[in-house]
Amino acid sequence: MNCQEVMELMQRHVDGDLDQQETALMTAHVGGCPECAVMLERLQRLSDDLSLLPRVEPKFSIVDAILPQLVRLESERLSESAEDKTDTKAVVPRLRSERPRGRLLRRWSGIVAAGIVAGLLLISQQLQLSNDHSDNDAAAPGEFGNAAFSVKAPEYAATMEDGEAPAAAPEAGVSERSSSAKIAPDSVAGGAAQEAPAASEQAIDNGSAASIAEPGINSVEVGDQYGANAFVTPSIGSDEETKSKTSDVNSINGLTAQVTALVSPDGLWRAVAYEGDGTLRIYATKDDSLVFESEHRAGSLTGLAWEPESEQLTYTWIDEQGNKKNLAYNADEIREFTP
Amino acid sequence: MIEPALIKSAQAGDREALVALLREIENHVYRTAYYLLNHEQDAMDAAQEALIRIYTKINTYEEKAQFRTWVQKIVTNICIDKFRRKRPSVSIDEHELVFESRDNVETEVLTAYAAEEIREAIGKLPEHHRSVVVLRYLQDFSYNEIADSLDLPLNTVKSYLFRARQQLQTLLHDYQKGGVRG
C-alpha cells in the first residue's frame, strides 16, 4: 500500500468512515512512514479545528424580520384563490384568527422596535403621525407599553448599551397602539398594496379605528415637519430612539439597521436601501426576487423617488466622505446610470 | 431534530406550524450562509431568501428526502448563485471588531483569530469544496447527506471533501509557518 492510497484512508479515518480492517492497514503504514504520520496528525487537527468553528447565529430573528412578507405572501395567495378579489373582509379576519393576539403583538412590537421591516415603514410613518393627533383611546396604554418592553428588553440587551433600548421599545409600542385604521377595500387586492394586509391586521388587533390610506407613496399624508421626503426617513420612534441608533455602531449593524423601501407607482418594483450601505437593490414585488443589485459601495442612499411612469428611480448616493452623487436606475433596462 | 408532525402540519396549510418550522431551522440556514458567503449582511440576505423560498415551496418537499438536506439544498443553491454573481472578496466584518473591543486574555484572542483564519481559508476554496466542508463541519452532515444536499455523486463528495481538507491544511500550515500563530 503506497502513501497515496493511505492518504485516502487517513481522510476517511478523520470522518470515522473506516472499518477495523482498514484501520489496521492504515495504522500499520503510518507506523513505518513518518511523513504519513505527520500528515495524519495535521489532518486530524484540522478536522478538530473545523468541528470547533463557532456556531454563529443571526443577531436578530430572521423569521421575525420576514413575517410581514410572509403575511403578505399568504394574503396574496388567499386573494388569488378568492373569487371576489375586492372582498378584503374575508381575507383579513382569517389572517388574524390564525395567530394568537399576544404572540402577534409581541412579534410586531419586536419588528417595529427593531426598525428593520421595509414594508412597514410607510405605515409606521403614518402611525407616528396619527399618534401626534393623540386619539389614543384604545386598550390600556401602560399595559401594552410594558408588554412590548419586557419582551424585547432581553433581546436588545445583547447588542445595545445602557438604557437606550428601553427608551426605544415602549416608544414603538405606543405608535403601534395608536394605530387605528380604516382599510381601503381595494388596497389589499391591488398589486401596489403590499403593506395593506400587515397594516389591517395590526389595526384590527389593536381594536381601534383610524385611517390608513392606500399605502402607495403618493397617498402618504405627510405632516409639515417631515417634509416631502418623509418616506425616506423610516425612523419609527422618538428622538431618543434615533439617538440610540446613531450612537451605537453595533446596533446599526444588527438590530436597528434601517431600511428604505419604495414601491414603484405601478406596483411592480420595490427599491430597497439599507442605512449605512450605498448599495441599491430592486426587488420584484410579485415574488420578492432580486432583480437588480448595484455595485457594492459604502455610504448611504437618500432621496429615493420613482418617476410617475415607474420607468426610472432617482436617488442620491452620499459616500463616506459626505460627497453626493445623483444616480438613477432604469427599470426597463435594469441598470444604474448617472443622469 | 425537526418533528415530522410539524412538517406535516405545515404542509397541510397550518401557518403557525410553518412559521414555527422556520424558527427551528433559521439558525442552521444562517450558519451555512454565513460560512459560505463569509459576510454577515450577505448571509442575512441569503438566509431570508432561503426561508421565504422554504415558506412558499413547503409543499414541494417530499418525505423520501430528509428535511434538513432539503433545507440545506435550498440555502446552498442561493448562496452559490450569490457568489457567482459577485466578485470574490474576503470581508472584514463586525466579528473582528467585536474581538478587538473585548478585554480578552491573550489566549482567548489567539483562539478567536484561529477560527477567523480557518473561516478565511474556507473562503478561498472553490465553491463546491466550500459547500462540502460547510455541510460536513457546520451541519455535521454525513457523506450521503452532503451528496443529497448538493445533488452530487457520493464519490464526488468524498473527493471534494478530501481535496478541500488538503487545501485547507496547506493554507493554514503556511499561515502558521509565517509565525503569526505558532
Side-chain angles (χ1 to χ4, degrees):
Chain A
M1 179 163 261
N2 63 33
C3 293
Q4 191 57 45
E5 289 165 325
V6 172
M7 182 67 186
E8 172 157 349
L9 285 183
M10 293 192 298
Q11 288 273 10
R12 287 173 52 212
H13 170 74
V14 296
D15 292 321
D17 192 50
L18 294 189
D19 61 26
Q20 266 189 333
Q21 199 195 347
E22 290 168 321
T23 309
L25 272 173
M26 182 195 78
T27 314
H29 177 95
V30 168
C33 176
E35 276 184 30
C36 283
V38 169
M39 181 52 80
L40 178 60
E41 194 187 322
R42 280 202 215 145
L43 274 180
Q44 189 62 58
R45 188 169 144 211
L46 170 70
S47 190
D48 293 346
D49 281 351
L50 286 166
S51 303
L52 291 173
L53 281 173
R55 268 35 187 174
V56 292
E57 290 184 3
K59 282 182 177 168
F60 54 87
S61 165
I62 301 170
V63 176
D64 280 343
I66 60 173
L67 267 181
Q69 241 172 308
L70 301 185
V71 169
R72 200 180 74 231
L73 286 169
E74 184 70 5
S75 74
E76 278 170 6
R77 194 182 64 77
L78 289 173
S79 62
E80 271 167 25
S81 62
E83 281 189 12
D84 183 1
K85 290 194 174 188
T86 58
D87 187 6
T88 58
K89 280 172 187 164
V91 175
V92 174
R94 176 163 172 194
L95 278 172
R96 183 205 171 195
S97 67
E98 281 171 5
R99 291 200 280 152
R101 182 170 191 261
R103 292 176 66 178
L104 184 73
L105 287 181
R106 195 181 73 219
R107 287 172 192 171
W108 274 108
S109 61
I111 291 157
V112 174
I116 53 174
V117 182
L120 196 57
L121 296 175
L122 301 173
I123 301 303
S124 308
Q125 190 68 46
Q126 231 180 356
L127 296 183
Q128 186 64 31
L129 292 174
S130 67
N131 189 27
D132 291 339
H133 300 149
S134 28
D135 51 350
N136 310 335
D137 54 352
E143 185 193 327
F144 187 93
N146 286 339
F149 168 76
S150 62
V151 170
K152 294 313 295 177
E155 289 181 41
Y156 270 87
T159 49
M160 297 183 99
E161 292 169 0
D162 306 326
E164 291 162 349
E171 204 48 50
V174 168
S175 61
E176 214 183 311
R177 177 181 48 74
S178 69
S179 74
S180 35
K182 177 182 72 197
I183 303 133
D186 57 344
S187 66
V188 171
Q194 54 158 343
E195 288 85 3
S200 49
E201 184 181 8
Q202 185 183 11
I204 288 168
D205 260 294
N206 290 325
S208 44
S211 112
I212 294 177
E214 223 177 75
I217 297 308
N218 298 334
S219 65
V220 173
E221 294 163 15
V222 178
D224 286 339
Q225 73 272 32
Y226 287 95
N229 283 333
F231 56 85
V232 178
T233 311
S235 176
I236 294 152
S238 58
D239 289 346
E240 289 95 305
E241 192 188 5
T242 310
K243 221 188 317 173
S244 79
K245 280 170 181 158
T246 50
S247 66
D248 184 342
V249 173
N250 280 333
S251 72
I252 289 173
N253 287 331
L255 264 179
T256 56
Q258 293 188 50
V259 185
T260 300
L262 194 59
V263 177
S264 61
D266 61 9
L268 290 178
W269 316 112
R270 186 167 67 253
V272 175
Y274 293 91
E275 184 181 286
D277 184 1
T279 310
L280 175 76
R281 292 179 177 85
I282 305 285
Y283 293 86
T285 52
K286 64 172 163 45
D287 60 0
D288 287 305
S289 58
L290 182 65
V291 177
F292 171 80
E293 189 172 40
S294 71
E295 60 168 328
H296 286 231
R297 57 198 166 215
S300 60
L301 298 180
T302 63
L304 274 70
W306 285 99
E307 303 282 294
E309 301 297 317
S310 296
E311 78 288 358
Q312 193 167 306
L313 173 82
T314 56
Y315 45 97
T316 304
W317 169 44
I318 303 173
D319 71 15
E320 286 171 306
Q321 282 76 44
N323 301 317
K324 293 183 180 180
K325 185 179 183 190
N326 290 325
L327 291 168
Y329 165 80
N330 185 307
D332 294 329
E333 297 168 22
I334 315 181
R335 67 180 182 92
E336 184 177 70
F337 63 100
T338 308
Chain B
M1 183 66 199
I2 307 278
E3 291 280 336
L6 187 61
I7 300 170
K8 281 227 171 72
S9 306
Q11 289 190 305
D14 179 346
R15 283 194 64 250
E16 276 291 324
L18 185 45
V19 170
L21 191 59
L22 295 184
R23 287 187 193 283
E24 293 263 345
I25 60 174
E26 71 169 310
N27 284 351
H28 289 271
V29 167
Y30 174 78
R31 193 193 301 157
T32 294
Y34 179 79
Y35 279 97
L36 283 179
L37 298 172
N38 223 351
H39 187 283
E40 202 171 310
Q41 186 59 50
D42 289 350
M44 288 301 281
D45 292 348
Q48 281 198 10
E49 204 176 324
L51 290 170
I52 289 169
R53 198 173 293 180
I54 289 161
Y55 182 93
T56 53
K57 307 275 184 204
I58 187 70
N59 284 323
T60 67
Y61 166 68
E62 292 173 27
E63 232 172 292
K64 64 185 178 196
Q66 274 196 75
F67 186 67
R68 61 181 191 150
T69 58
W70 183 75
V71 166
Q72 292 297 322
K73 180 184 292 189
I74 289 172
V75 64
T76 48
N77 279 338
I78 287 172
C79 291
I80 286 174
D81 278 353
K82 269 191 190 297
F83 55 62
R84 275 183 191 161
R85 261 188 280 144
K86 265 188 206 164
R87 66 199 180 287
S89 66
V90 178
S91 72
I92 300 166
D93 65 20
E94 297 79 2
H95 284 275
E96 270 182 331
L97 297 176
V98 173
F99 289 132
E100 280 170 7
S101 62
R102 259 196 252 139
D103 268 334
N104 284 334
V105 294
E106 198 182 6
T107 51
E108 281 176 349
V109 172
L110 286 177
T111 316
Y113 278 126
E116 196 73 3
E117 201 59 35
I118 294 171
R119 198 167 62 76
E120 275 182 27
I122 292 173
K124 289 174 186 163
L125 298 175
E127 62 192 34
H128 272 110
H129 294 195
R130 199 188 311 185
S131 306
V132 169
V133 166
V134 168
L135 293 180
R136 170 73 184 82
Y137 287 101
L138 277 310
Q139 301 297 339
D140 299 315
F141 274 13
S142 67
Y143 296 153
N144 274 316
E145 288 170 324
I146 298 169
D148 286 348
S149 299
L150 300 178
D151 281 331
L152 292 172
L154 192 60
N155 279 334
T156 309
V157 167
K158 286 191 205 175
S159 92
Y160 282 172
L161 178 63
F162 299 171
R163 251 184 280 162
R165 273 197 298 240
Q166 272 183 295
Q167 286 170 319
L168 286 176
Q169 194 272 126
T170 308
L171 285 166
L172 293 165
H173 186 63
D174 288 351
Y175 167 66
Q176 283 172 19
K177 274 198 303 196
V180 184
R181 188 176 169 202

